């Protein structure tokens, strides 16, 4: 089993260490979204230097390009991408169910590639096989994203996710055994179940109870899109999930409030494409809220984006320069902005961890969120 130790508790919140074959993750931690085995606009060296502890790649995108067998041939995700720290893969369920004309069958799901329209079928078994070929430390079970927010659709998606979970577990165990018997046990891989249920607390409770009974290494909490009501939902889910296994809040962390609520109510890791996507559009975090660096008022502003930020962008460049790079559409604009935004969420989550350890979390949360959201 994946080794996870809790180092401090505060209500449902906790700090801890996830010990993976590629190193430790000190939690709570923000995991970089490396959808296609790269965090957009950033090199792995830059990710390392800004303090990132782990990345999460997307199985759907890697199945399409370059193909999971090629990544296996390269020696796995870490070798292929030159990221020699912990790695996760998302199952791709979210992306597949977001495509048009998805057909659910008894076996799995049929869809057309968003790139060239080629036909694909993914099953819980083939998702596990793909994730084992990619070779991340931590895999997510293949889950069904509900087609609407209605109770009926949420229940149907949850029931199917549970049914698929037992097939994912069986296939994961079969693959683990075959790797061990082939003498390759030095690189074990681990599986998280995914809790569904949308905004309905009874479904969330049912899903958490089901996932808790499965022989998995941890849990992803999926289908969360906004911080509204997230505290109650996480309270329900994380009071049921076993305390001694790590929990990943899938796709959340674009808004700083997501990180604070997530950590306060018992989540250990987070991932989100939002910070780097916003950076490429010139929308940059500051402690006083997000700013648009393309705004004319920054033309003559020779101060750094944040004067106490220790990222490479803020240490070396000023707002007028960043504004110029964005106005002239220079590639470097996206690089520097992504360094800053990714640093901001990684560093904020690190500070959340430290505040939990020294008992100042509530003060830090209040001060940070009041200033950021101008309350
Ligand atoms: Zn910065």
């Amino acid at each position: 089993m994946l080794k996870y130790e809790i180092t401090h508790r505060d209500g449902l919140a906790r700090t801890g260490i996830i010990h993976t074959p590629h190193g430790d993750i000190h939690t709570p931690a923000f995991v970089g979204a490396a959808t296609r085995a790269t965090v957009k606009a950033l090199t792995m060296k830059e990710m390392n230097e800004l303090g990132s502890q782990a990345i999460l790649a997307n199985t759907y995108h890697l199945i399409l390009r370059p193909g999971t067998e090629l990544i296996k041939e390269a020696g796995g995700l870490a070798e292929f991408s030159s990221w020699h720290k912990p790695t996760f893969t998302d199952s791709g369920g979210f992306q597949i169910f977001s495509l048009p004309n998805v057909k659910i069958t008894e076996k799995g799901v049929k869809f057309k590639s968003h790139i060239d329209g080629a036909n694909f079928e993914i099953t819980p078994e083939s998702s596990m096989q793909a994730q084992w070929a990619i070779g991340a430390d931590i895999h997510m079970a293949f889950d069904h994203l509900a087609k609407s927010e209605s109770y009926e659709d949420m229940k149907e998606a949850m029931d199917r996710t549970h049914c698929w979970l037992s097939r994912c577990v069986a296939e994961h165990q079969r693959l683990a055994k075959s790797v061990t018997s082939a003498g390759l046990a030095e690189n074990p891989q681990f599986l998280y179940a995914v809790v569904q249920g949308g905004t309905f607390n009874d479904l969330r409770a049912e899903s958490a109870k089901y996932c808790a009974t499965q022989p998995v290494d941890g849990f992803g909490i999926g289908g969360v899109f906004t911080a509204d009501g997230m505290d109650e939902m996480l309270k329900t889910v994380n009071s049921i999930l076993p305390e001694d296994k790590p929990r990943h809040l899938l796709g959340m962390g674009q808004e700083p409030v997501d990180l604070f609520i997530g950590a306060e109510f018992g989540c250990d890791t987070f991932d989100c494409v939002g910070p780097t996507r916003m950076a490429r559009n010139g929308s940059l975090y500051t402690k006083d809220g997000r700013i648009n660096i393309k705004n004319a008022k920054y033309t003559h502003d020779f101060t750094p984006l944040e004067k106490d930020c220790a990222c490479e962008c803020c240490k070396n460049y000023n707002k007028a320069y960043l504004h110029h790079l964005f106005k002239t559409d220079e590639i470097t604009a996206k690089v520097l902005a992504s360094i800053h935004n990714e640093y901001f969420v990684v560093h904020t989550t690190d500070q959340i961890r430290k505040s939990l350890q020294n008992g100042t979390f509530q003060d830090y949360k209040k001060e940070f969120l009041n200033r950021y959201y101008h309350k």
Side-chain angles (χ1 to χ4, degrees):
M1 292 303 269
L2 179 64
K3 231 180 116 199
Y4 168 65
E5 64 179 293
I6 295 175
T7 52
H8 188 86
R9 285 182 182 81
D10 182 357
L12 275 178
R14 67 264 191 94
T15 65
I17 307 169
I18 304 171
H19 300 281
T20 84
H22 286 92
D24 293 346
I25 308 171
H26 292 262
T27 63
F30 185 85
V31 173
T35 307
R36 296 185 191 136
T38 179
V39 178
K40 287 193 195 305
L42 299 178
T43 64
M44 292 307 185
K45 183 167 181 276
E46 285 160 341
M47 282 294 286
N48 198 31
E49 284 169 359
L50 66 81
S52 180
Q53 299 188 70
I55 59 165
L56 179 143
N58 186 273
T59 303
Y60 164 72
H61 286 282
L62 295 180
I63 284 172
L64 299 187
R65 293 183 302 197
T68 55
E69 285 305 311
L70 186 133
I71 298 173
K72 188 178 178 184
E73 192 187 329
L77 179 61
E79 285 298 319
F80 184 52
S81 66
S82 234
W83 175 258
H84 304 289
K85 283 176 156 183
T87 49
F88 292 70
T89 36
D90 195 347
S91 72
F94 181 88
Q95 286 71 23
I96 292 163
F97 285 101
S98 305
L99 295 168
N101 306 319
V102 173
K103 206 173 151 222
I104 297 159
T105 64
E106 270 314 297
K107 272 177 74 184
V109 51
K110 286 182 173 164
F111 60 95
K112 287 184 191 302
S113 155
H114 73 281
I115 301 162
D116 58 6
N119 290 312
F120 278 90
E121 181 171 29
I122 292 192
T123 65
E125 290 79 13
S126 71
S127 173
M128 290 297 99
Q129 290 154 14
Q131 293 190 67
W132 271 83
I134 294 167
D137 298 308
I138 294 168
H139 308 168
M140 297 289 159
F142 190 59
D143 62 325
H144 182 182
L145 178 76
K147 60 179 185 276
S148 86
E149 301 265 305
S150 77
Y151 190 88
E152 292 68 32
D153 286 343
M154 283 293 173
K155 176 147 177 40
E156 186 203 355
M158 181 195 75
D159 289 340
R160 186 165 288 112
T161 296
H162 293 173
C163 167
W164 285 354
L165 175 58
S166 45
R167 287 168 57 188
C168 284
V169 167
E171 184 63 7
H172 178 80
Q173 289 177 339
R174 187 187 72 79
L175 289 161
K177 217 176 271 174
S178 67
V179 167
T180 309
S181 59
L184 300 167
E186 72 275 14
N187 256 354
Q189 299 179 31
F190 301 98
L191 177 64
Y192 281 19
V194 177
V195 176
Q196 288 289 0
T199 54
F200 303 101
N201 269 343
D202 62 325
L203 296 183
R204 284 287 182 186
E206 189 183 338
S207 188
K209 274 180 201 153
Y210 183 82
C211 292
T213 63
Q214 297 296 307
V216 290
D217 298 285
F219 305 92
I221 300 171
V224 190
F225 305 106
T226 158
D228 294 337
M230 193 168 86
D231 50 352
E232 283 304 315
M233 184 277 284
L234 290 178
K235 234 187 266 180
T236 303
V237 168
N238 287 336
S239 302
I240 294 168
L241 293 179
E243 197 196 19
D244 60 352
K245 292 181 181 179
R247 306 151 182 167
H248 182 91
L249 186 57
L250 285 155
M252 291 297 282
Q254 172 165 311
E255 284 295 326
V257 68
D258 304 342
L259 302 170
F260 282 92
I261 295 179
E264 183 170 5
F265 295 98
C267 296
D268 306 302
T269 49
F270 307 87
D271 79 279
C272 187
V273 296
T276 48
R277 183 165 56 203
M278 292 190 307
R280 297 193 300 281
N281 292 322
S283 182
L284 305 179
Y285 295 113
T286 77
K287 289 198 184 65
D288 296 296
R290 246 189 287 145
I291 66 161
N292 187 340
I293 196 67
K294 293 188 257 187
N295 197 308
K297 73 178 176 189
Y298 300 114
T299 310
H300 297 276
D301 188 335
F302 301 108
T303 64
L305 197 50
E306 286 240 86
K307 67 176 186 302
D308 54 354
C309 177
C311 87
E312 280 308 301
C313 173
C314 296
K315 277 196 302 192
N316 296 295
Y317 305 97
N318 59 53
K319 291 206 261 315
Y321 183 65
L322 283 173
H323 174 81
H324 157 70
L325 295 181
F326 268 99
K327 293 308 274 187
T328 51
D329 202 22
E330 285 291 337
I331 292 169
T332 317
K334 296 178 168 61
V335 175
L336 293 177
S338 299
I339 287 175
H340 172 77
N341 270 12
E342 189 72 11
Y343 177 88
F344 188 92
V345 281
V346 166
H347 184 71
T348 300
T349 316
D350 289 348
Q351 292 304 113
I352 289 173
R353 180 174 69 250
K354 284 173 191 155
S355 74
L356 284 168
Q357 279 160 347
N358 62 29
T360 57
F361 173 77
Q362 287 301 336
D363 293 339
Y364 177 56
K365 175 187 162 193
K366 199 171 159 196
E367 186 195 325
F368 186 104
L369 296 180
N370 283 349
R371 183 171 166 191
Y372 188 88
Y373 295 106
H374 312 290
K375 277 176 191 151

